[in-house]
Amino acid sequence: MQWQRRSRFFRTTALLALLYGVILAVPARAGADAYPAELLKDDFRGLRFGLIFDVVGAHTEYHYLREVAPQGNWAVSAFKSDGSQRAWRLMEEEGTRVMHQAHTNRENFTHPMLVAGDPLWQDYRVTVDFAPASDKAQSGIVFRYRNDRCYYFFGVQGQKALLKMVRHETAYHKPCEVILAEKPCAWRPGKYLTGQVDVTGSHLRAQLNDGTVLEAEDKTYAQGKVGLMSDVPTRYRNVAVMTTPGEKDRFLQRVASRERELTELQAANPRPMLWKKAATAGFGVGRNLRFGDLNHDGQIDILIGQIIHHGPKDTNSELSCLTAMTFDGEVLWQIGEPDAWKDGLTNDVGFQIHDLDGDGRTEVVYCMHTKLIVADGATGKTKYETPTPNMPAQAKPPHNKFPRILGDSLYFCDLRGTGHARDIIIKTRYDHLWALNDRLEPLWEAACNTGHYPYTHDIDGDGKDELAIGYSLFDHDGTRLWTLDGKMQDHADGLAIVRFVPDGELRLLCAASDAGIFFTDMKGNVLKHQFLGHVQNPATADFRTDLPGLESVSINFWGNQGILHFYDAQGEVYHDCEPCQHGSMCLPINWTGKPPEYFVLSPNVEEGGLFDGWGRRVVRFPADGHPDMCYAVLDVTGDCRDEIVVWDPHEIWVYTQSDSPRQGRLYRPTRNPLCNYSNYQATVSLPGWSQ
């Protein structure tokens, strides 16, 4: 008996020791004490009550507006042109601040989302209280967020708990969602749930306060931010992100390494230095400037176009005032009546600076009052004009508001083989185009899904340009060579014809809005199609000298704004990041006088700057009070390197390099001609050198 009592004692002691060892071995599941180090605790006290984000429309496709800047720890990560722009608002509930997502979402990929944190966060615990108003759709927590198309989600949908991985589409509007774990759970709409997620390496563990636990192994995302996401109205409170002391130390080391790298990169580049500035109050605009030598003195000048919207929204827009000025602020001439309330636009209107007749002196070609006008660049006096084309019979409301087109945009090319870009493409917003000669006489017309802005290239070497517009390619005489109309959804936001590899075949790059981005050969065969959301504003240049050929960058807007994707010469994505929550022109810039080129994201001090082919901010703008709504890139001083023109409706500033002027042989890439300037252009920067 004594031996049996001792045996039971030893077995019990061994069992307790084993259990104690297990508890010590898995502190991540043992309660709050396992995560004593704070990464984020937010009860929203740093925010003002009311809307977190109001309607910005399409302005932030190529304007930087303060409304899109993060508030406190949070940034609105996804919205469409609907009520989702007003989804998030801070309220008070029984003395407690709550973040309310007020929108009912019916999109299958874009979801109202508010994000916080650092992309270098790896292992952590996130805890959030949330109260969905309905069980008709998902509500919960986003974690290891890479961007608002790539993340993990935990929450409720219907009467079940759900843990899933989300990433880019596999086809048009077909999201890739992998359910990692799910369980039935009973909960009542309107009542708060507490969601908790622990991520350690590839192990994901999520639980609700009712005891429901989901676990999974997945290696898709190793690090990322956190977010609040719901497709039905949902209230959130008490957000906490905690980690272990060791992991926080490692995170801080990663941050320090990132900052050291950026500091070194920025120190190796010349700083932006203010060169000139001029006032434009009363006749200034948003991103509606053109650049060229107007007064024939060998210096670049500015043409400012104010517009009037006949509505609805930007459907029927035209010029109301043109102001020509130098970079010294001297007004050369003005046509129309300036109006400080006509400074905003979200589209193109038809006006350009171009030496149309090839005599070495520029003209201003513009549309106003349903006329296409050619004016002297130095004086603004009309040389000749013609009525704009008749509105096509098939045009539908509200696009057929006028009997003649207003002129959505103008593009110059060489369709007749004259050796100079004397021919004009004029178009409606989305469905019709006309080709005219330099005397404004019609050559041909065509109907197609035109997209926003064309691109030309002499593809067959006959001295005459072929025209890529929308999803179609036309020969110089208007013969349609091929079209993808009917095969591609939405419209082309930006396109270009590029030889990505020396001695390689020409390829068409097309940023196709919600259809993502694709590349074709010159026969219209799709070679690569990336479904990455609403892709626009592509640019091609030598962004990476360590890679063969040319690289491209694009940015997303509607639905998933701010995601940058980087493509190699074969059209494969080699990198992505999300440094901001707005659109941008992504204009290539020759800043150092040698490759690689950078691109500008915006002139904002905190979120903008010059970025390299890895998405690293290699040049920051100075905090000197400059306007940061708009920017353009061009060589103003004439030293081969680019200046950065930044402006808002009140003033224009120009930045050059702190080490100007540079001497010797400098990089001088060939760009889109200034006569073909558009808010929707695909910018191509081909390598070249000064003599």
Side-chain angles (χ1 to χ4, degrees):
M1 293 293 293
Q2 185 177 8
W3 178 85
Q4 290 176 334
R5 285 195 297 270
R6 288 178 179 176
S7 179
R8 285 195 297 271
F9 171 80
F10 286 126
R11 286 198 301 269
T12 303
T13 301
L15 179 60
L16 289 173
L18 177 62
L19 290 173
Y20 184 68
V22 170
I23 292 171
L24 289 178
V26 287
R29 307 182 190 182
D33 291 344
Y35 292 91
E38 178 182 320
L39 294 175
L40 172 70
K41 277 191 176 180
D42 201 331
D43 58 5
F44 309 119
R45 291 189 183 277
L47 304 179
R48 296 173 66 114
F49 287 113
L51 288 172
I52 301 301
F53 190 85
D54 207 344
V55 174
V56 296
H59 287 86
T60 53
E61 287 185 86
Y62 34 77
H63 297 84
Y64 182 84
L65 302 180
R66 297 304 174 96
E67 289 87 342
V68 305
Q71 295 196 40
N73 295 310
W74 300 92
V76 174
S77 181
F79 62 80
K80 298 281 281 187
S81 54
D82 56 19
S84 62
Q85 294 189 65
R86 294 171 56 88
W88 297 96
R89 52 199 71 191
L90 186 63
M91 302 169 18
E92 190 172 60
E93 181 181 78
E94 298 179 354
T96 299
R97 288 174 173 244
V98 298
M99 187 63 69
H100 184 215
Q101 195 291 99
H103 179 64
T104 299
N105 179 58
R106 293 180 175 83
E107 298 288 335
N108 65 352
F109 208 107
T110 295
H111 308 282
M113 198 178 302
L114 203 62
V115 297
D118 194 293
L120 294 180
W121 284 355
Q122 286 188 355
D123 295 347
Y124 53 80
R125 166 178 289 174
V126 54
T127 307
V128 182
D129 297 334
F130 64 106
S134 166
D135 65 356
K136 302 302 181 184
Q138 63 185 1
S139 297
I141 308 167
V142 167
F143 59 100
R144 282 193 178 167
Y145 166 102
R146 185 177 183 90
N147 56 59
D148 53 40
R149 296 172 58 83
C150 299
Y151 54 85
Y152 293 113
F153 169 83
F154 170 64
V156 293
Q157 182 173 357
Q159 290 295 304
K160 64 181 179 182
L162 186 67
L163 178 63
K164 65 181 177 180
M165 182 275 293
V166 179
R167 64 176 176 228
H168 291 297
E169 297 153 82
T170 55
Y172 184 74
H173 279 188
K174 293 183 179 179
C176 175
E177 297 188 351
V178 178
I179 305 300
L180 302 174
E182 59 182 331
K183 282 184 181 179
C185 69
W187 61 279
R188 292 173 55 192
K191 298 296 184 180
Y192 275 99
L193 299 164
T194 297
Q196 176 180 294
V197 178
D198 296 348
V199 283
T200 307
S202 62
H203 188 75
L204 317 178
R205 185 179 190 273
Q207 67 181 48
L208 295 173
N209 55 320
D210 68 350
T212 302
V213 176
L214 301 177
E215 296 193 65
E217 294 287 335
D218 191 86
K219 297 181 180 180
T220 306
Y221 307 120
Q223 57 190 24
K225 302 179 183 181
V226 299
L228 315 176
M229 187 187 84
S230 61
D231 287 333
V232 295
T234 302
R235 294 163 290 153
Y236 292 89
R237 67 187 186 193
N238 299 329
V239 180
V241 184
M242 309 295 290
T243 191
T244 64
E247 175 56 25
K248 184 167 185 179
D249 286 344
R250 289 187 288 274
F251 163 67
L252 294 176
Q253 291 170 13
R254 293 192 294 271
V255 170
S257 176
R258 177 181 64 191
E259 295 307 309
R260 281 194 303 271
E261 180 184 37
L262 292 178
T263 299
E264 291 173 1
L265 289 168
Q266 292 164 12
N269 282 294
R271 301 181 310 280
M273 181 179 70
L274 181 63
W275 181 60
K276 289 184 178 181
K277 60 181 175 179
T280 59
F283 58 85
V285 292
R287 202 175 192 286
N288 210 30
L289 304 189
R290 303 292 187 267
F291 303 95
D293 184 3
L294 291 168
N295 57 3
H296 319 304
D297 64 353
Q299 302 296 315
I300 297 291
D301 302 305
I302 311 167
L303 188 61
I304 303 172
Q306 288 189 329
I307 62 173
I308 182 170
H309 295 301
H310 300 290
K313 298 182 178 180
D314 61 7
T315 305
N316 298 286
S317 303
E318 64 173 331
L319 284 171
S320 61
C321 180
L322 277 176
T323 303
M325 67 179 289
T326 69
F327 274 106
D328 291 318
E330 177 190 357
V331 174
L332 301 174
W333 50 263
Q334 194 170 70
I335 295 172
E337 183 177 358
D339 185 339
W341 282 25
K342 294 177 180 176
D343 61 358
L345 82 160
T346 57
N347 56 304
D348 275 348
V349 287
F351 75 111
Q352 303 283 10
I353 301 171
H354 181 45
D355 178 10
L356 183 59
D357 55 15
D359 68 351
R361 297 172 64 87
T362 57
E363 284 77 40
V364 170
V365 185
Y366 67 99
C367 296
M368 188 181 285
H369 308 313
T370 64
K371 294 179 181 179
L372 179 59
I373 301 166
V374 178
D376 179 71
T379 65
K381 292 182 179 179
T382 297
K383 298 175 71 172
Y384 51 96
E385 63 182 49
T386 190
T388 57
N390 289 321
M391 184 66 66
Q394 66 269 30
K396 298 178 181 179
H399 300 279
N400 62 350
K401 194 169 187 176
F402 295 89
R404 294 184 177 274
I405 72 167
L406 298 180
D408 174 73
S409 60
L410 298 174
Y411 184 94
F412 298 98
C413 54
D414 185 8
L415 299 174
R416 292 173 292 154
T418 64
H420 184 69
R422 294 189 174 187
D423 303 314
I424 306 170
I425 301 297
I426 186 171
K427 61 186 281 292
T428 62
R429 184 88 160 130
Y430 288 119
D431 55 22
H432 213 92
L433 68 139
W434 294 260
L436 313 174
N437 66 19
D438 52 344
R439 299 304 303 175
L440 310 185
E441 299 164 335
L443 298 174
W444 50 268
E445 64 179 279
C448 67
N449 180 349
T450 63
H452 282 305
Y453 204 63
Y455 196 95
T456 57
H457 193 94
D458 180 9
I459 297 170
D460 55 13
D462 65 353
K464 302 174 184 179
D465 285 335
E466 280 70 46
L467 172 72
I469 185 165
Y471 298 136
S472 301
L473 182 69
F474 291 89
D475 206 349
H476 65 274
D477 60 0
T479 301
R480 194 195 308 259
L481 299 174
W482 54 263
T483 185
L484 298 178
D485 284 354
K487 297 180 181 179
M488 294 292 175
Q489 297 87 354
D490 218 306
H491 61 265
D493 255 325
L495 49 85
I497 298 172
V498 184
R499 202 178 306 277
F500 289 95
V501 179
D503 301 324
E505 298 294 326
L506 288 169
R507 297 286 184 261
L508 178 103
L509 173 158
C510 182
S513 304
D514 282 354
I517 190 169
F518 64 86
F519 301 79
T520 77
D521 63 18
M522 290 298 95
K523 295 182 180 179
N525 299 306
V526 177
L527 306 174
K528 184 72 62 177
H529 196 160
Q530 308 278 7
F531 294 95
L532 304 170
H534 192 104
V535 178
Q536 58 187 53
N537 296 124
T540 297
D542 188 5
F543 293 122
R544 291 272 305 275
T545 54
D546 60 319
L547 294 179
L550 302 178
E551 295 74 45
S552 303
V553 61
S554 68
I555 194 165
N556 282 34
F557 190 64
W558 290 117
N560 309 103
Q561 70 277 5
I563 308 175
L564 292 173
H565 287 95
F566 299 80
Y567 313 86
D568 63 19
Q570 287 72 46
E572 297 287 354
V573 175
Y574 70 80
H575 183 62
D576 66 85
C577 58
E578 189 187 71
C580 65
Q581 300 295 340
H582 57 85
S584 174
M585 290 297 294
C586 296
L587 296 178
I589 183 165
N590 175 26
W591 187 247
T592 65
K594 60 183 180 180
E597 291 193 61
Y598 305 140
F599 65 93
V600 187
L601 195 56
S602 84
N604 183 257
V605 176
E606 287 86 6
E607 296 189 273
L610 280 61
F611 289 72
D612 69 4
W614 277 112
R616 301 173 299 190
R617 181 164 53 183
V618 294
V619 176
R620 298 178 67 106
F621 280 93
D624 56 2
H626 65 268
D628 60 3
M629 176 185 282
C630 312
Y631 82 92
V633 169
L634 66 156
D635 178 11
V636 181
T637 64
D639 73 342
C640 295
R641 295 190 298 174
D642 292 312
E643 278 65 51
I644 310 169
V645 184
V646 304
W647 75 92
D648 62 17
H650 304 281
E651 53 187 337
I652 298 173
W653 294 31
V654 184
Y655 287 100
T656 191
Q657 295 85 357
S658 58
D659 62 350
S660 290
R662 285 284 301 276
Q663 303 296 324
R665 187 169 182 262
L666 297 176
Y667 192 63
R668 176 181 273 175
T670 301
R671 301 257 177 79
N672 310 49
L674 288 177
C675 65
N676 290 331
Y677 208 70
S678 167
N679 289 317
Y680 302 102
Q681 69 188 50
T683 307
V684 178
S685 189
L686 301 177
W689 292 86
S690 64
Q691 298 300 319

